Amino acid sequence: MTSDVIKKLNKIYAEALEEVGKGKLYAQRRVELEIKYLGRKGKLNDVFKEMAVLSDSARKEVGVLANKLKSDLKLQLGQAQLQNKKSATTITFDETIPGARPKIGSLHPITQFLERIMAVFSTLGFEIVEDREVETTVYNFDKLNIAFDHPARDMWDTFYIKIKNKKEKIKNKEESSLVLRTHTSPVQIRAMEKRRPPVRLVVPGRVYRHEATDASHETNFYQLEGLVIDRNISVANMIYVLHTVLKQLFGDKVKIRIRPSFFPFVEPGHEVDMSCIICEQKGCSVCSGTGWLEMLGAGMVHPVVLKNMKVDPDKYSGFAFGMGVDRLIMLYHGINDIRLSYSGDLRFLKQF
Ligand code: FA5
């Protein structure tokens, strides 16, 4: 009797294994087989009913076997489904399906414009120089003839940097500390520490100011500094260079005019205006009806600054200028808010 029950159990187990091995074992099929063989009313449990007539020791022997077969079958079912999942993954990978196209970025409009403007200056023989954005007040102000207590410092209010390690403190002036540079003009001095006239250079770079932002003011923006020093350099040379560059960028119709202005590091100092390219000087909201747009500060390098560069003002003269790159870009592309350039908004950036 015992052997009959054992035979029956082995037969059911073999039958179950055969079914497991047939075709692919998806989740639903696995559940069906579990119910059929291992469920409460499943085939293996059915055999238990026949055990009532067996002796205690025989019942124990059959019970141990039945439980072993049940757990083996469970294991086989699990493995078969896992195997199926693995092969399913292999089969569904089709290398001929086109991949997701990677999103290709582009150079930022500011970078694009800087490259353009620097190409123009390169054709005029200008060298491109870059320098630090964290600057000492000595270079940002003092060496540019902006004394410690001069009200001109208010025009260039900025972010002062605390120096934690006292050993790092700058020693050459007591009141000196670190600032985020407010303009690219300090690079005039830095560049001249390694060069002797004649020089022709431009300095593109980021500058920082303590500003309330609006459509034409940012707390960080780009400038392009220019410096020319040689014998017999005059305002005429400055006008020629600036007019040539603006014509190259905005077209031959562009006119410029210069107005007196004050910057402590130049004498005489000028504001340079460009004829409004939007309305062609008929008067519009961009030029506030004047027909002119203020583009940059410029002037003849101050003798004090030349001396700070260790250049003899009796032998040499020069001119310098500082363009607000962001405002040039706004005009160039017809952008109505400077803040868009720094927003990281892809709807804006994708247009360039
Ligand atoms: C200067 O920074 C001088 N260093 C320029 C200079 C260099 C004059 C050499 C003479 C000789 P100013 O503060 O005006 O000057 O700034 C120059 C240009 O930067 C401005 O004409 C304007 O186009 C731009 N600019 C100034 N402030 C901002 C701002 N907050 N946001 C965006 N652009 C600005």
Side-chain angles (χ1 to χ4, degrees):
M1 186 63 194
T2 318
S3 62
D4 282 353
V5 179
I6 288 174
K7 263 187 203 159
K8 210 168 185 178
L9 279 173
N10 281 328
K11 198 174 160 224
I12 295 168
Y13 180 70
E15 184 191 320
L17 281 189
E18 205 185 317
E19 280 209 66
V20 172
K22 247 189 239 163
K24 301 220 172 307
L25 191 73
Y26 293 109
Q28 195 187 340
R29 177 89 182 119
R30 177 185 171 172
V31 173
E32 282 167 13
L33 290 179
E34 265 176 1
I35 294 169
K36 183 172 176 183
Y37 291 99
L38 303 169
R40 204 161 48 87
K41 292 181 183 165
K43 285 195 169 191
L44 283 172
N45 276 340
D46 251 12
V47 181
F48 279 89
K49 288 176 198 157
E50 295 172 26
M51 286 162 59
V53 289
L54 298 179
S55 67
D56 280 355
S57 63
R59 214 182 304 153
K60 199 175 168 193
E61 188 191 344
V62 173
V64 168
L65 177 69
N67 284 333
K68 186 184 174 302
L69 293 181
K70 275 167 84 173
S71 59
D72 274 4
L73 186 57
K74 231 181 204 161
L75 201 73
Q76 296 291 339
L77 281 164
Q79 275 177 354
Q81 195 187 353
L82 198 71
Q83 196 57 41
N84 182 43
K85 261 191 194 159
K86 275 189 195 156
S87 60
T89 346
T90 330
I91 288 162
T92 50
F93 177 72
D94 179 354
E95 68 266 38
T96 63
I97 295 172
R101 195 180 286 273
K103 288 192 178 119
I104 298 171
S106 59
L107 291 177
H108 193 278
I110 296 178
T111 311
Q112 286 182 30
F113 190 82
L114 278 173
E115 283 183 358
R116 223 183 123 87
I117 196 167
M118 287 190 294
V120 175
F121 277 107
S122 294
T123 60
L124 293 172
F126 279 72
E127 179 193 352
I128 292 155
V129 179
E130 285 183 290
D131 216 298
R132 69 212 69 187
E133 290 176 19
V134 178
E135 190 48 281
T136 66
T137 47
V138 170
Y139 283 84
N140 198 76
F141 297 121
D142 300 67
K143 288 189 186 240
L144 288 167
N145 198 29
I146 311 171
F148 182 64
D149 52 358
H150 196 286
R153 282 203 189 197
D154 295 347
M155 290 204 297
W156 292 293
D157 193 11
T158 185
F159 304 94
Y160 282 75
I161 295 168
K162 274 189 189 161
I163 305 171
K164 275 196 188 148
N165 182 355
K166 282 193 177 143
K167 277 185 198 157
E168 283 174 24
K169 266 198 172 161
I170 304 105
K171 290 167 193 124
N172 42 357
K173 228 173 187 195
E174 265 185 22
E175 67 272 24
S176 182
S177 54
L178 291 178
V179 290
L180 294 183
R181 68 178 178 192
T182 57
H183 48 178
T184 39
S185 299
V187 189
Q188 290 185 29
I189 309 283
R190 295 235 178 239
M192 288 309 290
E193 284 173 350
K194 296 180 202 112
R195 290 169 184 77
R196 291 296 85 200
V199 290
R200 243 183 292 179
L201 54 91
V202 279
V203 184
R206 206 181 257 254
V207 302
Y208 303 83
R209 289 188 194 178
H210 181 215
E211 293 266 20
T213 60
D214 61 27
S216 56
H217 291 84
E218 254 296 0
T219 49
N220 79 87
F221 54 98
Y222 280 81
Q223 282 192 340
L224 188 94
E225 191 81 9
L227 178 70
V228 173
I229 302 178
D230 203 345
R231 290 180 194 267
N232 304 318
I233 295 290
S234 73
V235 177
N237 301 114
M238 183 188 86
I239 293 174
Y240 175 79
V241 168
L242 293 175
H243 196 192
T244 305
V245 170
L246 290 174
K247 276 199 292 190
Q248 291 269 330
L249 290 172
F250 294 100
D252 275 346
K253 281 188 186 164
V254 160
K255 287 186 269 180
I256 63 165
R257 73 173 184 187
I258 59 170
R259 290 178 288 116
S261 184
F262 173 71
F263 298 97
F265 32 94
V266 285
E267 181 57 38
H270 314 284
E271 254 350 301
V272 180
D273 297 341
M274 180 177 93
S275 53
C276 182
I277 52 157
I278 309 280
C279 66
E280 297 194 332
Q281 294 201 292
K282 289 183 191 83
C284 67
S285 60
V286 177
C287 62
S288 313
T290 62
W292 292 98
L293 296 160
E294 188 185 310
M295 299 304 281
L296 58 127
M300 300 304 292
V301 183
H302 198 289
V304 169
V305 177
L306 284 174
K307 278 186 195 155
N308 289 341
M309 295 169 176
K310 299 199 168 51
V311 173
D312 184 351
D314 293 328
K315 285 190 189 150
Y316 292 99
S317 57
F319 66 85
F321 55 86
M323 299 178 167
V325 174
D326 304 66
R327 294 206 188 145
L328 287 173
I329 296 174
M330 287 170 79
L331 207 60
Y332 188 75
H333 288 299
I335 300 165
N336 59 9
D337 196 320
I338 192 171
R339 291 167 291 194
L340 283 167
S341 295
Y342 300 93
S343 65
D345 189 335
L346 287 178
R347 289 168 304 176
F348 172 75
L349 294 172
K350 275 182 181 167
Q351 296 175 53
F352 302 94

